[in-house]
Amino acid sequence: MSVRLAVIADDFTGGLFVASNLEKIGIPALYVCDPDILPSIGDQDVVVIATRLRFMPPAEAVAMLDSLTTALDAIGTEHVFYKYCSTFDSTDEGNIGPCADFLVKKYDQPRLIFGPGYPDLSTYVHEGYMFYKDRLISESIKRFDPITPMNDPDMARVLQRQTAEKVGLLPHRVLHRGSAFAHDYVRDQQDKGVRYFLMDCVDNDDVALGAAIFRRDRITSGADALAIELASQWEKEGVRRAPQDRPRPIRGQGGEAVLVGSCSEVTLRQRDHFALSNPVLDIDIREAEGDILTERSLEWAQTPLDAGRAIGFSVAGDPDAVTRAQSMFGVMGAARKAEAILAGIARGLADRGVRKFVVSGGESSGAIVQALGIQSMQVLPFDELGAGSCVSHDDRRISLFLKPGKIGTEDVFSAALDKMRA
């Protein structure tokens, strides 16, 4: 048994985004939601392991990485890619630095690349400064993120606050001069004590050259663009481990539900658009205990489900509602309560025969997939909807569309359900 590339994704939507883009270019990717099945997955070119690392306390995140990498080593994994959000979502107390420290120590690796950014989604890094949709990230909507407000645009400085290792840049002006010059630059910086390289991501040429420089390292880290490029470069070498003739996915038949956990402005507009034609229940997490709110929601759902209607549930609120919830439960407490309510609703809906789920929000997606007891999924190629679709491998054949909060058109919820019905 062997795996060429294992992508450890710090949330479920990000992992699915990588897997679906690899499927689009013809590289099979097994999407694993339960690491316990790793010993039985057989030979694979790419395995994407979805986790909920992003908001874990550093010690807890490191312990999970230790367990995952040990399991991957046991099945013969050549390369591990630690994947985080393209916008490097984190705080000064975040775990990206501690996770990196653990990985380089465990594998005795003298350097590590950090590749946030994704040019195809208008997320760029230049001289270490991140731009989101042509604005400094500290001036974009990301500064209002309820859990990881991005107020510092200097990604090297953000990382340096999380680690004692010396952080340096691999800037566009160096990458632009070609492979030989960039290799020499990296070696020179290593001689000067730099161990972590924050790579610029001005365009896809930066991503391609960065991948070429570091692709022989045992461990790399970055966002979607770098992971996809690494897999693509290895694919060109022509070494295959997994069989290529896989059957088309068979979707389950049953009810349809949209579950909204993200509080982004984009998601709120999508929720309101879906509500124009479908019953949607807005849930105020301050009103009662989570179990009570879950039970009330499932009781509400029965009538429209019996009528064969697609239904929606939202724990998302406007910024004022989020602030009020956070003042009552704390920042993470409010987020975890909201996720637990949606997860309980999803589990109850599945028991009632719902087999098509559209989910908005990375942490919500993780909580819901885990609540549904899904161990692995077949991923569909990335398409015009702008996020990832997949089908569970178990007998239920649950169809899911897992969407980051800030992605998609206003009608994406209905469009995703339409695709599931096709």
Side-chain angles (χ1 to χ4, degrees):
M1 186 189 310
S2 66
V3 172
R4 184 158 210 184
L5 170 63
V7 178
I8 300 176
D10 71 351
D11 78 348
F12 278 62
T13 55
L16 185 54
F17 201 89
V18 169
S20 62
N21 273 281
L22 290 175
E23 292 281 352
K24 180 180 179 180
I25 60 176
I27 300 176
L30 176 65
Y31 186 69
V32 172
C33 313
D34 181 356
D36 287 345
I37 70 168
L38 286 174
S40 63
I41 62 174
D43 292 340
Q44 300 289 336
D45 292 309
V46 182
V47 175
V48 178
I49 306 166
T51 75
R52 302 185 68 193
L53 277 169
R54 182 172 302 176
F55 301 125
M56 286 184 183
E60 187 178 340
V62 166
M64 174 174 278
L65 265 188
D66 190 11
S67 176
L68 284 174
T69 50
T70 298
L72 290 169
D73 291 344
I75 62 174
T77 302
E78 293 183 20
H79 187 99
V80 173
F81 187 93
Y82 166 43
K83 186 216 168 294
Y84 33 76
C85 183
S86 62
T87 48
F88 214 55
D89 289 9
S90 193
T91 65
D92 289 352
E93 296 75 33
N95 61 36
I96 295 177
C99 285
D101 294 344
F102 164 76
L103 289 170
V104 295
K105 182 178 180 181
K106 181 169 184 174
Y107 293 98
D108 193 24
Q109 186 165 293
R111 66 185 188 182
L112 183 63
I113 184 65
F114 291 79
Y118 199 162
D120 289 349
L121 293 182
S122 301
T123 304
Y124 313 100
V125 181
H126 184 243
E127 294 293 336
Y129 282 78
M130 179 166 284
F131 295 80
Y132 180 74
K133 299 190 183 299
D134 301 320
R135 306 280 298 184
L136 276 171
I137 196 166
S138 55
E139 299 174 4
S140 74
I141 60 174
K142 290 293 294 180
R143 72 187 188 277
F144 299 122
D145 191 288
I147 300 178
T148 54
M150 300 298 288
N151 296 312
D152 187 348
D154 187 334
M155 296 300 101
R157 192 162 56 205
V158 170
L159 177 60
Q160 189 67 81
R161 288 196 288 265
Q162 297 182 11
T163 179
E165 300 291 350
K166 186 174 182 180
V167 179
L169 291 179
L170 179 53
H172 173 74
R173 55 186 162 80
V174 170
L175 294 165
H176 188 64
R177 295 184 64 175
S179 177
F181 186 88
H183 273 285
D184 290 343
Y185 174 87
V186 169
R187 283 194 294 268
D188 179 66
Q189 290 297 299
Q190 285 184 249
D191 291 342
K192 294 176 180 178
V194 173
R195 194 173 193 186
Y196 291 171
F197 288 86
L198 196 292
M199 186 181 78
D200 271 358
C201 188
V202 173
D203 53 33
N204 287 324
D205 288 341
D206 285 351
V207 178
L209 188 50
I213 293 171
F214 292 90
R215 70 190 176 108
R216 300 302 180 193
D217 290 359
R218 179 75 171 79
I219 305 290
T220 50
S221 82
D224 315 65
L226 186 58
I228 294 164
E229 179 61 28
L230 279 167
S232 180
Q233 290 187 13
W234 281 320
E235 170 76 5
K236 292 172 183 175
E237 294 178 355
V239 179
R240 286 282 193 174
R241 283 159 177 72
Q244 303 307 300
D245 52 343
R246 295 179 301 158
R248 295 180 64 183
I250 301 172
R251 298 176 183 274
Q253 300 299 314
E256 304 170 353
V258 173
L259 301 166
V260 181
S262 168
C263 297
S264 74
E265 293 179 9
V266 173
T267 295
L268 296 179
R269 289 196 296 270
Q270 292 164 344
R271 177 200 62 188
D272 293 345
H273 185 277
F274 183 75
L276 294 174
S277 305
N278 304 276
V280 174
L281 179 66
D282 290 318
I283 303 166
D284 187 339
I285 68 171
R286 298 171 300 158
E287 288 185 350
E289 294 296 321
D291 290 346
I292 295 173
L293 292 173
T294 297
E295 189 57 38
R296 288 178 186 171
S297 301
L298 291 170
E299 290 174 0
W300 170 87
Q302 197 59 56
T303 298
L305 281 178
D306 289 343
R309 302 198 64 184
I311 56 176
F313 303 84
S314 173
V315 294
D318 60 28
D320 288 341
V322 172
T323 299
R324 291 192 297 271
Q326 289 178 340
S327 67
M328 181 177 293
F329 303 112
V331 173
M332 285 307 302
R336 294 306 185 210
K337 182 175 182 180
E339 293 155 15
I341 292 167
L342 288 181
I345 292 171
R347 187 165 46 242
L349 291 175
D351 291 342
R352 290 161 172 79
V354 172
R355 293 293 181 266
K356 305 181 187 76
F357 290 91
V358 174
V359 186
S360 182
E363 285 296 286
S364 299
S365 294
I368 287 165
V369 171
Q370 290 177 340
L372 292 173
I374 297 172
Q375 292 185 304
S376 67
M377 293 193 266
Q378 183 172 349
V379 177
L380 281 67
F382 189 82
D383 59 25
E384 72 283 354
L385 296 181
S389 299
C390 50
V391 181
S392 69
H393 278 133
D394 58 58
D395 292 339
R396 297 171 297 175
R397 308 303 295 172
I398 294 175
S399 296
L400 298 112
F401 178 78
L402 307 180
K403 186 190 79 68
K406 298 175 178 64
I407 286 177
T409 58
E410 282 196 354
D411 66 345
V412 69
F413 294 160
S414 296
L417 290 174
D418 285 342
K419 180 150 287 192
M420 292 178 185
R421 297 172 190 137

